[in-house]
Amino acid sequence: MPDISLTIVVVLCLASLAAGWIDAVVGGGGLLLLPAMLLGLPGGTPAAYALGTNKAVAIVGTTGAAVTYARKAPVDVRLAVRIGLAALAGSTAGAFVAAGMSTDVLKPVVMVVLLGVGTFVMLRPAFGTAPSTEPVSARRMLAAIGLAGLGIGFYDGLIGPGTGTFLVLALTALLHFDLVTASATAKIVNCCTNAGALATFAWKGTVYWQLAALMAAFNLVGGMVGAHTALKKGSGFVRVVLLTVVFALVANLAYQQWVA
């Protein structure tokens, strides 16, 4: 465990708690947790340790949220795992590509997409408020595996921020899920991508396991509470959080692109 003060440990644990809640409701918890890790670890610490420890924390909260959702929401676990395996392959490919190129050129494109998505959701109040009564066709299932799995998985490996939010939006649009079911399915997909990333970081030895275990306990509580909140409040509440996270993502990417 790195040599950091008790105050910083407490702040990191609280950030982990809040990130778990956000991530369980609509994705995007990494917007809070990863910057907190980067700021909280001692100066000069390689970024890989922040990334690796972040994944070790996030996978616990994501798993807790996924289990909570699976018990109370109508989640097709087999479909979610299929998409998750495709996302795992996509994120691996994205990571290889990211090693040889600058992702800065893609950030403006992602911002434009997010702004378009946010505008669409604002102008379509009924988006994701009620699930489709039709069974999922083979064509829509393949589209979800291709776009939500391979495509967004590739983005996760290449850039990363907002992967959970993109998954929720894609699953809602492609499979006609309500936002709560989409969030539940996205958590299972996230478990697959997080597991692959964590295995890589663990193999490289860039995880602070003691710090991760402490923060993971808070992230788990946040994730389970967030899932319960989404289930209780319904799709209307998730929609409000979704819009908040989308525009926070745009602001975060704009800051990284033109200010930082």
Side-chain angles (χ1 to χ4, degrees), residues 82-122:
R82 290 175 186 174
I83 298 172
L85 292 175
L88 177 59
S91 64
T92 302
F96 276 108
V97 173
M101 67 172 290
S102 172
T103 59
D104 289 341
V105 296
L106 296 177
K107 289 178 181 177
V109 177
V110 176
M111 281 186 277
V112 171
V113 172
L114 282 168
L115 284 171
V117 165
T119 302
F120 173 80
V121 174
M122 288 180 67

Coordinates of all heavy atoms in Angstrom, one line a residue, residues 82-122:
R82 N -23.1 -12.7 -23.3 CA -22.7 -12.7 -24.7 C -22.2 -11.4 -25.1 O -21.1 -11.3 -25.8 CB -23.9 -13.1 -25.6 CG -24.3 -14.6 -25.5 CD -25.5 -14.8 -26.4 NE -26.1 -16.2 -26.2 CZ -27.2 -16.6 -26.7 NH1 -27.9 -15.8 -27.5 NH2 -27.6 -17.9 -26.5
I83 N -22.9 -10.3 -24.8 CA -22.4 -9.0 -25.1 C -21.1 -8.7 -24.3 O -20.2 -8.1 -24.9 CB -23.5 -7.9 -24.7 CG1 -24.8 -8.2 -25.6 CG2 -23.0 -6.5 -25.0 CD1 -26.0 -7.3 -25.2
G84 N -21.1 -9.2 -23.1 CA -19.9 -8.9 -22.3 C -18.6 -9.6 -22.9 O -17.6 -9.0 -22.8
L85 N -18.8 -10.8 -23.4 CA -17.6 -11.5 -24.0 C -17.2 -10.8 -25.2 O -15.9 -10.7 -25.5 CB -18.0 -12.9 -24.3 CG -18.2 -13.8 -23.1 CD1 -18.7 -15.2 -23.5 CD2 -17.0 -14.0 -22.2
A86 N -18.1 -10.3 -26.0 CA -17.8 -9.5 -27.2 C -17.1 -8.2 -26.8 O -16.1 -7.7 -27.4 CB -19.0 -9.1 -28.0
A87 N -17.5 -7.6 -25.7 CA -16.9 -6.3 -25.2 C -15.5 -6.6 -24.7 O -14.6 -5.8 -24.8 CB -17.8 -5.7 -24.1
L88 N -15.3 -7.8 -24.1 CA -14.0 -8.1 -23.6 C -13.0 -8.2 -24.8 O -11.9 -7.7 -24.7 CB -14.1 -9.5 -22.9 CG -12.7 -10.1 -22.3 CD1 -12.1 -9.1 -21.4 CD2 -13.0 -11.4 -21.7
A89 N -13.5 -8.8 -25.9 CA -12.6 -8.9 -27.1 C -12.4 -7.5 -27.6 O -11.2 -7.2 -28.0 CB -13.3 -9.8 -28.1
G90 N -13.4 -6.7 -27.7 CA -13.3 -5.4 -28.2 C -12.3 -4.5 -27.4 O -11.5 -3.7 -27.9
S91 N -12.4 -4.6 -26.1 CA -11.6 -3.8 -25.2 C -10.1 -4.2 -25.3 O -9.2 -3.3 -25.3 CB -12.0 -3.8 -23.8 OG -11.9 -5.2 -23.3
T92 N -9.9 -5.5 -25.5 CA -8.5 -5.9 -25.7 C -7.9 -5.4 -27.0 O -6.8 -4.9 -27.0 CB -8.5 -7.5 -25.8 OG1 -9.0 -8.0 -24.6 CG2 -7.0 -8.0 -26.0
A93 N -8.7 -5.4 -28.1 CA -8.3 -4.8 -29.4 C -8.1 -3.3 -29.2 O -7.1 -2.8 -29.8 CB -9.3 -5.1 -30.4
G94 N -9.0 -2.6 -28.5 CA -8.8 -1.2 -28.3 C -7.6 -0.8 -27.6 O -6.9 0.2 -27.9
A95 N -7.2 -1.6 -26.6 CA -6.0 -1.4 -25.8 C -4.8 -1.5 -26.7 O -3.8 -0.7 -26.5 CB -5.9 -2.4 -24.6
F96 N -4.8 -2.5 -27.5 CA -3.6 -2.7 -28.5 C -3.5 -1.5 -29.4 O -2.4 -1.0 -29.6 CB -3.7 -4.0 -29.3 CG -3.3 -5.2 -28.6 CD1 -4.2 -6.1 -28.1 CD2 -1.9 -5.4 -28.3 CE1 -3.7 -7.3 -27.4 CE2 -1.4 -6.5 -27.7 CZ -2.3 -7.5 -27.2
V97 N -4.6 -1.0 -29.9 CA -4.6 0.2 -30.8 C -4.1 1.4 -30.0 O -3.3 2.2 -30.5 CB -5.9 0.4 -31.5 CG1 -6.0 1.7 -32.3 CG2 -6.3 -0.8 -32.3
A98 N -4.6 1.6 -28.8 CA -4.3 2.7 -28.0 C -2.8 2.8 -27.7 O -2.3 3.9 -27.6 CB -5.1 2.7 -26.7
A99 N -2.1 1.7 -27.7 CA -0.7 1.7 -27.4 C 0.1 2.4 -28.5 O 1.2 2.8 -28.3 CB -0.2 0.3 -27.2
G100 N -0.5 2.4 -29.7 CA 0.3 3.0 -30.8 C -0.3 4.3 -31.4 O 0.1 4.7 -32.5
M101 N -1.2 4.9 -30.7 CA -1.8 6.2 -31.3 C -2.2 7.1 -30.1 O -2.3 6.7 -29.0 CB -3.0 5.9 -32.1 CG -4.2 5.3 -31.4 SD -5.6 5.2 -32.4 CE -6.1 6.9 -32.6
S102 N -2.4 8.4 -30.5 CA -2.9 9.3 -29.5 C -4.4 9.4 -29.6 O -5.0 9.5 -30.6 CB -2.3 10.7 -29.8 OG -3.0 11.7 -29.0
T103 N -5.0 9.2 -28.4 CA -6.5 9.2 -28.3 C -7.0 10.6 -28.3 O -8.2 10.8 -28.4 CB -7.0 8.4 -27.1 OG1 -6.4 9.1 -25.9 CG2 -6.5 7.0 -27.2
D104 N -6.2 11.6 -28.2 CA -6.6 13.0 -28.2 C -7.4 13.4 -29.4 O -8.4 14.2 -29.3 CB -5.5 14.0 -28.0 CG -4.8 13.9 -26.6 OD1 -5.5 13.4 -25.7 OD2 -3.7 14.4 -26.5
V105 N -7.1 12.8 -30.6 CA -7.8 13.2 -31.8 C -9.2 12.7 -31.8 O -10.1 13.2 -32.5 CB -7.0 12.6 -33.0 CG1 -5.7 13.2 -33.2 CG2 -6.9 11.1 -32.9
L106 N -9.5 11.7 -30.9 CA -10.8 11.1 -30.9 C -11.8 11.8 -29.9 O -13.0 11.6 -30.0 CB -10.8 9.6 -30.6 CG -10.0 8.7 -31.6 CD1 -10.0 7.3 -31.1 CD2 -10.8 8.7 -32.9
K107 N -11.2 12.5 -28.9 CA -12.0 13.1 -27.9 C -13.0 14.1 -28.4 O -14.2 14.1 -27.9 CB -11.1 13.7 -26.8 CG -10.4 12.7 -26.0 CD -9.4 13.3 -24.9 CE -8.7 12.2 -24.1 NZ -7.7 12.8 -23.2
P108 N -12.7 15.0 -29.4 CA -13.7 15.9 -29.9 C -14.9 15.1 -30.5 O -16.0 15.5 -30.4 CB -12.9 16.7 -30.9 CG -11.5 16.6 -30.5 CD -11.3 15.3 -29.9
V109 N -14.6 14.0 -31.2 CA -15.6 13.2 -31.8 C -16.5 12.6 -30.8 O -17.8 12.7 -30.9 CB -15.0 12.0 -32.7 CG1 -16.1 11.1 -33.2 CG2 -14.1 12.6 -33.8
V110 N -16.0 12.1 -29.7 CA -16.7 11.6 -28.6 C -17.6 12.7 -28.0 O -18.8 12.4 -27.6 CB -15.8 10.9 -27.5 CG1 -16.7 10.4 -26.3 CG2 -15.1 9.8 -28.1
M111 N -17.1 13.9 -27.8 CA -17.9 15.0 -27.3 C -19.1 15.3 -28.1 O -20.2 15.5 -27.6 CB -17.0 16.2 -27.1 CG -16.1 16.2 -25.9 SD -15.2 17.7 -25.6 CE -13.8 17.5 -26.7
V112 N -18.9 15.3 -29.4 CA -20.0 15.6 -30.3 C -21.1 14.5 -30.2 O -22.3 14.8 -30.2 CB -19.5 15.7 -31.8 CG1 -20.6 15.8 -32.8 CG2 -18.6 16.9 -32.0
V113 N -20.6 13.3 -30.2 CA -21.6 12.2 -30.0 C -22.4 12.3 -28.7 O -23.6 12.1 -28.7 CB -20.8 10.8 -30.1 CG1 -21.8 9.7 -29.8 CG2 -20.2 10.6 -31.5
L114 N -21.7 12.6 -27.6 CA -22.3 12.7 -26.4 C -23.3 13.9 -26.3 O -24.4 13.7 -25.8 CB -21.3 12.9 -25.2 CG -20.5 11.7 -24.8 CD1 -19.4 12.1 -23.9 CD2 -21.5 10.8 -24.0
L115 N -22.9 15.0 -26.9 CA -23.9 16.1 -27.0 C -25.1 15.7 -27.8 O -26.2 16.1 -27.5 CB -23.2 17.3 -27.6 CG -22.2 18.1 -26.7 CD1 -21.4 19.1 -27.5 CD2 -23.0 18.8 -25.6
G116 N -24.9 15.0 -28.9 CA -26.0 14.6 -29.7 C -26.9 13.6 -29.0 O -28.2 13.7 -29.0
V117 N -26.3 12.7 -28.2 CA -27.1 11.8 -27.4 C -27.9 12.5 -26.3 O -29.0 12.2 -26.1 CB -26.1 10.7 -26.8 CG1 -26.8 10.0 -25.6 CG2 -25.6 9.7 -27.8
G118 N -27.2 13.4 -25.6 CA -27.9 14.2 -24.6 C -29.0 15.0 -25.1 O -30.1 15.0 -24.5
T119 N -28.9 15.6 -26.3 CA -30.0 16.4 -26.9 C -31.1 15.4 -27.3 O -32.3 15.8 -27.1 CB -29.4 17.1 -28.2 OG1 -28.4 17.9 -27.8 CG2 -30.6 17.9 -28.8
F120 N -30.8 14.3 -27.8 CA -31.8 13.3 -28.2 C -32.6 12.9 -27.0 O -33.9 12.8 -27.0 CB -31.1 12.1 -28.9 CG -32.1 10.9 -29.1 CD1 -32.9 10.9 -30.2 CD2 -32.2 9.8 -28.3 CE1 -33.8 9.9 -30.5 CE2 -33.0 8.8 -28.5 CZ -33.8 8.8 -29.6
V121 N -32.0 12.5 -25.9 CA -32.7 12.1 -24.7 C -33.5 13.2 -24.1 O -34.7 12.9 -23.7 CB -31.7 11.6 -23.6 CG1 -32.4 11.2 -22.3 CG2 -30.9 10.4 -24.1
M122 N -33.0 14.4 -24.2 CA -33.8 15.6 -23.7 C -35.1 15.8 -24.5 O -36.2 16.1 -24.0 CB -33.0 16.8 -23.7 CG -31.9 16.9 -22.6 SD -30.9 18.4 -22.7 CE -32.1 19.6 -22.2

